[in-house]
Amino acid sequence: MLLQPLWTFLLGHSSLLHSPFFPVLFSLSVYLSFCLPFLLLDVLAHRWTLVRRYKLQPHSSISWASVRSCLALTLYNHLVFIFPLTVMHWYLRPVHLPVEAPALPRLLIQVLVCLLLFDFQSFVWHLLHHRVPWLYRTFHKVHHTYTSTSALTAEYSGAWETLSLGVFAAANPLLLGCHPLTELAFFMLNIWLSVEDHCGYDLPWATHRLVPLGLYGGARHHDLHHLKSKCNYAPYFTHWDRLAGTLCTQD
Ligand SMILES: [Zn+2]
Ligand SMILES: [Zn+2]
């Protein structure tokens, strides 16, 4: 039971895990902490060519106005839409925390399955919202405000998009009957990958460089999606775009 000490530690803070505020605080704080290193890189990229050479669009730079606007929309979506929904979920389905931790191999497999399911659901949602002009104009266009990506643009979306993707992410661990620790691990990985998708850098340790055989698109592919808008609809993996003939790998 490799994960038991970690789970026992978290159970020691069970009042926090049981709180109706926990989901929204967890989601916001994890998201902002993951964005922070990339924001720092954006500041350094202004001055250092060494950093700038990893940028996917070297001539783009972020402004404080865009940082403010992204932060404002993220906070607004969390407070006005996500918070009431998570409180309702907390009320209808009280948090149950088992004493035993999940086995590590089971956690890893379930996180991967949750991620593959989320990738598929997001691909279908995304393709539909590009192919139907009314859906694009009404719901998805706001996410395409920025043609070059930067970490904080990951959650620059309207309410419908934020809630749809939130529901996909929340439903998958429920569907698989995951342990709360598995659920937390999947949420953290999902937030990290969506921030990395939008970071605007092709770093040597990026996920798309670590996963072999071009199975993972990541930051390079999603930046191309923001630039061209007509390809790379899956957020993470490449197989659905490959099958649909919508994969593009270079500009
Ligand atoms: Zn995006
Ligand atoms: Zn799009």
Side-chain angles (χ1 to χ4, degrees):
M1 273 297 193
L2 277 167
L3 297 169
Q4 195 59 50
L6 171 66
W7 183 238
T8 308
F9 170 78
L10 290 175
L11 283 181
H13 300 80
S14 61
S15 56
L16 178 67
L17 298 176
H18 275 114
S19 159
F21 298 99
F22 178 72
V24 86
L25 285 177
F26 173 82
S27 154
L28 252 182
S29 51
V30 168
Y31 175 64
L32 294 176
S33 334
F34 286 163
C35 284
L36 208 61
F38 294 115
L39 278 175
L40 198 66
L41 274 189
D42 290 332
V43 172
L44 294 176
H46 268 300
R47 296 154 192 266
W48 292 352
T49 4
L50 180 73
V51 178
R52 207 158 43 238
R53 75 168 203 241
Y54 290 107
K55 271 181 83 78
L56 287 158
Q57 296 186 40
H59 302 297
S60 71
S61 60
I62 62 157
S63 64
W64 288 114
S66 72
V67 169
R68 267 199 306 274
S69 153
C70 288
L71 280 174
L73 188 59
T74 300
L75 287 175
Y76 174 78
N77 281 338
H78 273 81
L79 291 177
V80 178
F81 301 107
I82 300 177
F83 180 58
L85 269 180
T86 51
V87 170
M88 197 170 78
H89 183 257
W90 168 86
Y91 181 75
L92 294 173
R93 200 174 173 277
V95 181
H96 167 65
L97 303 174
V99 179
E100 277 196 7
L104 184 60
R106 187 179 170 82
L107 178 141
L108 294 175
I109 290 168
Q110 286 189 326
V111 165
L112 181 65
V113 175
C114 283
L115 202 63
L116 287 166
L117 282 173
F118 179 83
D119 190 63
F120 171 65
Q121 293 151 338
S122 305
F123 168 77
V124 174
W125 188 99
H126 198 182
L127 186 68
L128 200 67
H129 283 70
H130 272 270
R131 293 287 158 91
V132 180
W134 177 78
L135 288 178
Y136 180 78
R137 270 197 319 273
T138 319
F139 299 117
H140 186 50
K141 197 178 170 191
V142 62
H143 185 63
H144 280 273
T145 305
Y146 299 100
T147 47
S148 69
T149 51
S150 61
L152 284 172
T153 61
E155 292 197 359
Y156 195 83
S157 324
W160 171 246
E161 179 162 352
T162 304
L163 291 178
S164 305
L165 300 184
V167 166
F168 297 153
N172 295 332
L174 284 181
L175 220 70
L176 298 180
C178 292
H179 188 283
L181 186 61
T182 310
E183 207 174 339
L184 286 179
F186 165 62
F187 288 159
M188 285 182 78
L189 181 66
N190 199 24
I191 297 173
W192 166 254
L193 294 178
S194 77
V195 168
E196 195 197 41
D197 251 13
H198 290 86
C199 73
Y201 293 89
D202 188 359
L203 296 165
W205 53 84
T207 311
H208 64 267
R209 293 191 171 274
L210 303 178
V211 178
L213 308 169
L215 294 172
Y216 191 87
R220 221 167 40 192
H221 281 206
H222 197 67
D223 190 71
L224 274 176
H225 174 71
H226 276 261
L227 194 63
K228 296 184 165 187
S229 192
K230 296 220 181 310
C231 59
N232 299 346
Y233 298 110
Y236 306 140
F237 297 94
T238 51
H239 52 276
W240 292 115
D241 280 302
R242 226 181 273 278
L243 282 169
T246 51
L247 185 75
C248 75
T249 50
Q250 55 196 318
D251 35 354

